Amino acid sequence: MSNANEVAFQKAKKVIPGGVNSPVRAFGSVGGTPRTIDRGAGSKIYDVTGKEFIDYVGSWGPLILGHAHPDIVRVVQQTAERGLSFGAPTEKEIELAEMITRLVPSMEQIRLVSSGTEATMSAIRLARGFTGKPKIIKFEGCYHGHSDSLLVKAGSGALTFGQPSSAGVPSELTSHTIVLDYNNVEMLNRAFSEAGDEIAGVIIEPIAGNMNLVKASPDFVSALRNLCDRYGALLIYDEVMTGFRVGISGAQGIQGVTPDITTLGKVIGGGMPMGAFGARREIMDRLAPIGPVYQAGTLSGNPVSVAAGIRTLQLIQEPEFFDDLTKVTRRLVDGMTEMAKKHSVDFCADSVGGMFGMYFSRSIPESFSDVMASDRERFNKFFHLMLDRGVYLAPSAFEAGFVSSAHSEADIAATLDAADETFAKL
Ligand code: HOZ
């Protein structure tokens, strides 16, 4: 590898812990030196040596239109010229809220925040404030940001680095968090029958993307909705990753479920920092300044992020947008599966909209334990061989991947050529 990435990483490690501003970037589980990125354009990113990569990370999900989309860059520039932040209401944030509430009808009102972590943390507080109950159910391998009570048996970087539960979180702070197996209806029933009166809410990634990609089964989803209704708990759909990524109304639109609270992030900021949470009005009325549940943020509803978000949501509502994105992503995963078969490698892949999972296992995982049983050593080799061939995948076997509308047939073909060579070497 060229020296410039190594030089940059060594310099970074002196002043930034582990050389990165978020752990999964560090190549910690796959080994080697992270590429230091210089710029991006469309489906490609370029590192500091000038090497080009077809990018399937897309800044971990937000870049559904690809890098530096001209329309997004233009609105960001135009908006920035009029002021970067006001800490006061703007007309544009109303426009974004109207757009989101129209596209995701379970969210009658939304509040904008600056990250997915803030969105889920606030959603949990709201669920407790609304129900007056303390306990939250989450599922092993789901990641809902890094707030204390949710960092228990979590996915994403926490899982990648073998610390699904973080140091620095006193057990008192997680004593109200109940962790259950994903897609396990029996366990869910049992938890509600034992502690139903104390459960404020159940938070779930309805299509999990932080333990690779794992879909909630229809039975599991309907059990969640029914049990929450029966016990007066709130169903919280964490759609930070899936919102406006798997379809125009998110995973809830695909599954036909009406959650009580939804959290969003990533795509809604168009590549700028942004998160949101929303629910029906009676729940949102509990928030300050109307209600007693406090939640705030200096940069919440930041005008530059809002402008990027509005333009992104306008573009993804164009006819055929999700049909095309879904087809291209499907072509990628089907092609990868074929290549693996050609070389007799145990591998499978799946996708929903513009989000995909690739697994070194014989069948598509349905639970955290299935994901853990996949061949991580093989993934690590695969990752590096693909990287050498100019394909940038998430540097972890536990992260979903993302295709953007900028990915062309030629990108998919080049990726499959790289996969052909790679699988031959595994
Ligand atoms: N949830 C994202 C990855 N699964 C966040 C990216 C990060 O942790 O840096």
Side-chain angles (χ1 to χ4, degrees), residues 21-25 59-60 143 145 155-157 205 209-210 240-241 266 398-400 402:
N21 279 311
S22 194
V24 286
R25 300 177 191 177
S59 191
W60 302 94
Y143 176 74
S156 192
E205 289 183 79
N210 286 289
V240 168
M241 198 178 272
K266 301 197 189 271
F398 303 123
E399 300 283 353
F402 303 98

Short mmCIF file of all heavy atoms in Angstrom, two decimals, residues 21-25 59-60 143 145 155-157 205 209-210 240-241 266 398-400 402, ligand 1:
data_model
loop_
_atom_site.label_atom_id
_atom_site.label_comp_id
_atom_site.label_asym_id
_atom_site.label_seq_id
_atom_site.Cartn_x
_atom_site.Cartn_y
_atom_site.Cartn_z
N ASN A 21 -12.41 9.10 14.27
CA ASN A 21 -13.45 9.78 15.03
C ASN A 21 -14.70 8.92 15.22
O ASN A 21 -15.71 9.40 15.73
CB ASN A 21 -13.79 11.11 14.36
CG ASN A 21 -12.77 12.17 14.77
OD1 ASN A 21 -12.47 12.32 15.95
ND2 ASN A 21 -12.20 12.87 13.81
N SER A 22 -14.64 7.66 14.84
CA SER A 22 -15.70 6.69 15.14
C SER A 22 -15.07 5.31 14.94
O SER A 22 -14.40 5.09 13.92
CB SER A 22 -16.89 6.90 14.20
OG SER A 22 -18.02 6.22 14.67
N PRO A 23 -15.22 4.41 15.92
CA PRO A 23 -14.40 3.20 15.95
C PRO A 23 -14.42 2.32 14.71
O PRO A 23 -13.39 1.79 14.31
CB PRO A 23 -14.94 2.42 17.16
CG PRO A 23 -15.56 3.45 18.02
CD PRO A 23 -16.07 4.53 17.11
N VAL A 24 -15.59 2.15 14.07
CA VAL A 24 -15.63 1.20 12.94
C VAL A 24 -14.78 1.64 11.76
O VAL A 24 -14.53 0.85 10.85
CB VAL A 24 -17.07 0.91 12.44
CG1 VAL A 24 -17.81 0.03 13.39
CG2 VAL A 24 -17.84 2.18 12.15
N ARG A 25 -14.33 2.86 11.74
CA ARG A 25 -13.49 3.34 10.63
C ARG A 25 -12.06 2.81 10.70
O ARG A 25 -11.30 2.95 9.75
CB ARG A 25 -13.41 4.87 10.65
CG ARG A 25 -14.75 5.53 10.52
CD ARG A 25 -14.62 7.05 10.62
NE ARG A 25 -15.94 7.66 10.75
CZ ARG A 25 -16.17 8.94 10.92
NH1 ARG A 25 -15.16 9.78 10.99
NH2 ARG A 25 -17.39 9.41 11.04
N SER A 59 -20.81 6.76 3.40
CA SER A 59 -20.80 7.43 4.71
C SER A 59 -21.71 6.71 5.72
O SER A 59 -22.35 7.33 6.56
CB SER A 59 -21.18 8.90 4.59
OG SER A 59 -20.93 9.55 5.82
N TRP A 60 -21.80 5.38 5.59
CA TRP A 60 -22.61 4.51 6.46
C TRP A 60 -24.10 4.75 6.27
O TRP A 60 -24.89 4.65 7.20
CB TRP A 60 -22.20 4.66 7.94
CG TRP A 60 -20.77 4.36 8.16
CD1 TRP A 60 -19.74 5.27 8.18
CD2 TRP A 60 -20.16 3.07 8.35
NE1 TRP A 60 -18.54 4.62 8.36
CE2 TRP A 60 -18.76 3.28 8.47
CE3 TRP A 60 -20.66 1.77 8.43
CZ2 TRP A 60 -17.87 2.23 8.66
CZ3 TRP A 60 -19.77 0.73 8.63
CH2 TRP A 60 -18.39 0.98 8.74
N TYR A 143 -28.23 -1.97 17.15
CA TYR A 143 -27.46 -0.82 17.64
C TYR A 143 -28.34 0.42 17.50
O TYR A 143 -28.88 0.68 16.42
CB TYR A 143 -26.19 -0.66 16.79
CG TYR A 143 -25.35 0.54 17.13
CD1 TYR A 143 -24.58 0.58 18.30
CD2 TYR A 143 -25.29 1.64 16.27
CE1 TYR A 143 -23.78 1.68 18.59
CE2 TYR A 143 -24.49 2.73 16.55
CZ TYR A 143 -23.74 2.75 17.72
OH TYR A 143 -22.95 3.85 18.00
N GLY A 145 -27.30 3.65 18.54
CA GLY A 145 -26.48 4.78 18.95
C GLY A 145 -25.81 4.48 20.26
O GLY A 145 -25.99 3.40 20.84
N GLY A 155 -24.91 -3.80 18.44
CA GLY A 155 -24.22 -4.15 17.20
C GLY A 155 -23.27 -3.06 16.78
O GLY A 155 -22.78 -2.29 17.61
N SER A 156 -23.00 -3.00 15.47
CA SER A 156 -22.09 -2.02 14.86
C SER A 156 -20.70 -2.09 15.48
O SER A 156 -20.21 -3.17 15.78
CB SER A 156 -22.69 -0.61 14.95
OG SER A 156 -21.97 0.28 14.14
N GLY A 157 -20.07 -0.93 15.71
CA GLY A 157 -18.69 -0.91 16.19
C GLY A 157 -18.54 -1.61 17.53
O GLY A 157 -17.51 -2.24 17.81
N GLU A 205 -34.49 -2.27 15.39
CA GLU A 205 -34.19 -1.98 13.99
C GLU A 205 -35.03 -2.98 13.19
O GLU A 205 -34.74 -4.18 13.19
CB GLU A 205 -32.72 -2.27 13.68
CG GLU A 205 -31.72 -1.32 14.28
CD GLU A 205 -30.31 -1.72 13.81
OE1 GLU A 205 -29.95 -1.38 12.67
OE2 GLU A 205 -29.60 -2.39 14.58
N GLY A 209 -29.38 -3.46 10.59
CA GLY A 209 -28.25 -3.19 9.70
C GLY A 209 -26.94 -3.04 10.45
O GLY A 209 -25.93 -2.65 9.86
N ASN A 210 -26.98 -3.34 11.74
CA ASN A 210 -25.77 -3.19 12.55
C ASN A 210 -25.24 -4.53 13.05
O ASN A 210 -24.35 -4.58 13.90
CB ASN A 210 -26.05 -2.25 13.72
CG ASN A 210 -26.14 -0.80 13.26
OD1 ASN A 210 -25.12 -0.20 12.90
ND2 ASN A 210 -27.32 -0.23 13.27
N VAL A 240 -33.22 4.84 11.67
CA VAL A 240 -32.09 5.72 11.35
C VAL A 240 -31.42 5.22 10.06
O VAL A 240 -31.07 6.00 9.18
CB VAL A 240 -31.09 5.76 12.53
CG1 VAL A 240 -29.77 6.41 12.12
CG2 VAL A 240 -31.72 6.52 13.70
N MET A 241 -31.28 3.90 9.96
CA MET A 241 -30.62 3.34 8.79
C MET A 241 -31.62 3.05 7.66
O MET A 241 -31.36 3.33 6.50
CB MET A 241 -29.90 2.05 9.18
CG MET A 241 -28.85 1.63 8.20
SD MET A 241 -28.00 0.16 8.73
CE MET A 241 -26.68 0.82 9.72
N LYS A 266 -29.31 9.70 9.08
CA LYS A 266 -28.64 9.36 7.81
C LYS A 266 -29.27 10.06 6.60
O LYS A 266 -29.00 11.22 6.37
CB LYS A 266 -28.57 7.85 7.66
CG LYS A 266 -27.79 7.21 8.86
CD LYS A 266 -27.34 5.82 8.57
CE LYS A 266 -26.78 5.12 9.79
NZ LYS A 266 -25.35 5.29 10.01
N PHE A 398 -20.05 -7.08 10.29
CA PHE A 398 -21.32 -6.83 10.98
C PHE A 398 -22.05 -5.58 10.51
O PHE A 398 -22.94 -5.09 11.18
CB PHE A 398 -21.07 -6.72 12.49
CG PHE A 398 -20.41 -7.95 13.06
CD1 PHE A 398 -19.21 -7.85 13.74
CD2 PHE A 398 -20.98 -9.19 12.89
CE1 PHE A 398 -18.59 -8.98 14.24
CE2 PHE A 398 -20.38 -10.33 13.40
CZ PHE A 398 -19.18 -10.22 14.07
N GLU A 399 -21.64 -5.05 9.38
CA GLU A 399 -22.30 -3.83 8.90
C GLU A 399 -22.99 -4.11 7.57
O GLU A 399 -22.46 -4.82 6.71
CB GLU A 399 -21.25 -2.71 8.69
CG GLU A 399 -20.49 -2.32 9.95
CD GLU A 399 -21.29 -1.43 10.90
OE1 GLU A 399 -22.42 -1.02 10.52
OE2 GLU A 399 -20.81 -1.19 12.01
N ALA A 400 -24.17 -3.50 7.41
CA ALA A 400 -24.85 -3.56 6.11
C ALA A 400 -24.09 -2.69 5.11
O ALA A 400 -23.29 -1.83 5.50
CB ALA A 400 -26.28 -3.07 6.26
N PHE A 402 -24.39 -0.27 1.30
CA PHE A 402 -25.33 0.67 0.69
C PHE A 402 -24.98 0.95 -0.77
O PHE A 402 -23.82 1.18 -1.10
CB PHE A 402 -25.35 1.98 1.46
CG PHE A 402 -25.70 1.78 2.91
CD1 PHE A 402 -24.70 1.72 3.88
CD2 PHE A 402 -27.01 1.60 3.31
CE1 PHE A 402 -25.01 1.50 5.21
CE2 PHE A 402 -27.33 1.38 4.64
CZ PHE A 402 -26.34 1.33 5.59
N1 HOZ B 1 -24.43 3.13 12.70
C1 HOZ B 1 -23.32 3.39 11.86
C2 HOZ B 1 -22.59 2.13 11.53
N2 HOZ B 1 -23.37 1.01 11.59
C3 HOZ B 1 -22.49 4.45 12.45
C4 HOZ B 1 -21.16 4.56 11.88
C5 HOZ B 1 -20.16 4.67 12.96
O1 HOZ B 1 -20.35 4.07 14.03
O2 HOZ B 1 -19.18 5.34 12.68
#
